[in-house]
Amino acid sequence: MANQVEREIFESYVRRNGGRVTPERLRLFDEIFSQHGHIDADRLYRAIRQDRKISRATVYRNLELLVDCGLVRRQRLGQRRYLYEHVHPGQAHDHLVCRVCDRVVEFMSPAISALQREIARAHGFDPAEHTLKISGICVGCASETEVAATGPSHRRSALRSTLS
Amino acid sequence: MANQVEREIFESYVRRNGGRVTPERLRLFDEIFSQHGHIDADRLYRAIRQDRKISRATVYRNLELLVDCGLVRRQRLGQRRYLYEHVHPGQAHDHLVCRVCDRVVEFMSPAISALQREIARAHGFDPAEHTLKISGICVGCASETEVAATGPSHRRSALRSTLS
DNA sequence: TCGTTATTGAGACTGATTCTCAATAGAGAC
DNA sequence: GTCTCTATTGAGAATCAGTCTCAATAACGA
Ligand SMILES: [Mn+2]
Ligand SMILES: [Mn+2]
Ligand SMILES: [Zn+2]
Ligand SMILES: [Zn+2]
């Protein structure tokens, strides 16, 4: 089976800390490692619900566990909820997020990673995780806006504009 | 008065968009430009409440306005709420956040900023804002933990440890 | 000064996440 | 396999930051 190594890591992490290997934990592990890309807690909950009973609380609790043992990354890419993705060691990457269509593009920059480590070191910081999110307008939305040419953008302004 | 330039920018932004310059808006502007560092909406609300009546909704609405016109930056540095800080143009900076004591250290890296612009360009992204947050253990908390040497860290584990 | 309409205040509402606690079930000992 | 201990679960309540509603107020151009 795929993800054998990660599964080992998970189970041994749980046992090493006096925890128990439960079907709920394994099911969540399988779900998040079968998905690919970013997914929120509720979608994981509903996906698992398809074939077994599980509670939301259990999903949240065990996502925390997966994050703690370094197999899953939790980030706020949108405004509201956290998104989760499983981690491939040595494949650190960051995100471009379009503020119009919410699409996420991943990129990898060893140069930025190195600079980050350097900065943390210079400040006596022991870095555990990082988030680099660049939000803006993606190429698709830029051209759409150009064509439509309908004012400032999709984002509702904080000022109640006169346009009805 | 200080912040004259920024105040100009704010008022003209508001008027240009058919908005009105209200005492609540000016008071919030003054508050966030008098503060220095990161502050949450509730603290701004309470600070303004000291000497004038204002509602929470008004604080939130007008913070959004200040963010929109580029005078204020809103970021999630902790887990829960947004933190706001006024922006000094051309002084882009990023953050190291200690996950034990929540202290925030700012740093500036023109090299990282340049790389970010380069990456956005390479993906046809028009970048509007960015967040780079490195979270870890600050030098103070590292030495404390070393002295205490009491297990994994302050962070409660998702596993109910046997220690009472 | 007047009229239009953007803004405000109070409180209801939302929604993601966390908490509570009784019932359940891993897993080590025998 | 059975027993025991206690970590984990499920269901729903609670939390909490932030957003929305709508009637009353007040900018500001005419
Ligand atoms: Mn990703
Ligand atoms: Mn800052
Ligand atoms: Zn887009
Ligand atoms: Zn610290």
Side-chain angles (χ1 to χ4, degrees):
Chain A
M1 187 205 277
N3 311 129
Q4 195 51 49
V5 187
E6 288 81 2
R7 176 102 168 223
E8 270 329 288
I9 293 174
F10 185 39
E11 294 199 20
S12 73
Y13 176 87
V14 168
R15 288 199 229 274
R16 184 167 359 109
N17 289 89
R20 292 167 186 180
V21 175
T22 66
E24 291 82 5
R25 283 181 176 164
L26 296 178
R27 186 67 184 73
L28 178 65
F29 174 94
D30 288 343
E31 190 59 43
I32 199 163
F33 273 87
S34 77
Q35 296 282 343
H36 113 354
H38 306 90
I39 185 165
D40 65 58
D42 194 60
R43 273 166 50 100
L44 287 164
Y45 166 73
R46 281 182 285 117
I48 296 172
R49 267 285 167 130
Q50 303 282 66
D51 45 51
R52 87 176 333 279
K53 184 162 66 63
I54 196 167
S55 91
R56 272 199 175 73
T58 297
V59 171
Y60 279 105
R61 285 186 290 235
N62 291 324
L63 279 171
E64 188 187 343
L65 196 55
L66 285 161
V67 169
D68 285 353
C69 77
L71 292 169
V72 164
R73 185 144 73 132
R74 180 179 85 155
Q75 272 171 300
R76 285 192 196 269
L77 296 178
Q79 304 288 293
R80 294 193 107 64
R81 47 201 140 180
Y82 283 109
L83 293 180
Y84 298 82
E85 66 180 333
H86 62 258
V87 165
H88 294 289
Q91 300 272 111
H93 67 266
D94 294 295
H95 302 96
L96 292 154
V97 183
C98 178
R99 53 168 52 176
V100 175
C101 65
D102 285 328
R103 238 183 296 270
V104 175
V105 175
E106 307 190 327
F107 68 88
M108 226 179 299
S109 171
I112 288 184
S113 300
L115 285 166
Q116 284 180 22
R117 275 192 300 278
E118 174 53 29
I119 284 158
R121 201 194 52 69
H123 288 81
F125 241 80
D126 178 22
E129 60 175 344
H130 76 277
T131 303
L132 169 51
K133 170 179 133 189
I134 302 173
S135 74
I137 315 264
C138 81
V139 63
C141 292
S143 55
E144 261 186 56
T145 308
E146 200 178 355
V147 171
T150 326
S153 92
H154 291 208
R155 284 165 55 84
R156 179 187 42 41
S157 160
L159 289 164
R160 178 189 294 188
S161 140
T162 316
L163 337 162
S164 77
Chain B
M1 187 205 275
N3 310 129
Q4 194 52 48
V5 187
E6 287 82 1
R7 176 102 168 224
E8 265 338 281
I9 293 173
F10 185 38
E11 292 198 21
S12 73
Y13 176 87
V14 168
R15 288 200 230 273
R16 183 167 359 110
N17 289 89
R20 293 167 184 182
V21 176
T22 65
E24 291 82 4
R25 283 181 176 164
L26 296 178
R27 184 67 183 74
L28 177 66
F29 174 94
D30 288 343
E31 190 59 43
I32 199 164
F33 273 87
S34 77
Q35 297 282 344
H36 112 356
H38 307 90
I39 185 165
D40 64 58
D42 193 60
R43 274 165 50 98
L44 287 164
Y45 166 71
R46 283 182 283 119
I48 296 172
R49 266 287 167 126
Q50 303 282 64
D51 44 50
R52 87 177 333 280
K53 183 161 67 60
I54 196 168
S55 92
R56 256 178 243 280
T58 297
V59 171
Y60 279 107
R61 285 186 290 236
N62 290 324
L63 278 171
E64 187 186 343
L65 196 55
L66 285 161
V67 170
D68 284 354
C69 76
L71 292 169
V72 165
R73 184 145 74 132
R74 179 180 86 155
Q75 271 172 301
R76 285 192 196 269
L77 296 178
Q79 303 289 292
R80 297 192 105 66
R81 49 201 140 180
Y82 284 109
L83 292 180
Y84 299 83
E85 65 181 333
H86 62 258
V87 164
H88 294 288
Q91 301 271 111
H93 68 266
D94 294 296
H95 303 96
L96 292 155
V97 183
C98 177
R99 54 167 53 176
V100 175
C101 67
D102 283 329
R103 238 183 295 271
V104 175
V105 175
E106 307 190 326
F107 67 88
M108 226 178 299
S109 171
I112 288 183
S113 299
L115 285 166
Q116 284 180 22
R117 276 192 300 278
E118 175 51 30
I119 284 158
R121 202 195 51 69
H123 288 81
F125 241 81
D126 177 22
E129 60 175 345
H130 77 277
T131 303
L132 169 50
K133 169 178 133 190
I134 301 174
S135 74
I137 316 263
C138 80
V139 62
C141 292
S143 55
E144 261 185 54
T145 308
E146 202 179 351
V147 171
T150 326
S153 93
H154 290 209
R155 284 165 54 85
R156 177 186 47 37
S157 158
L159 289 164
R160 178 190 295 187
S161 141
T162 316
L163 336 164
S164 76

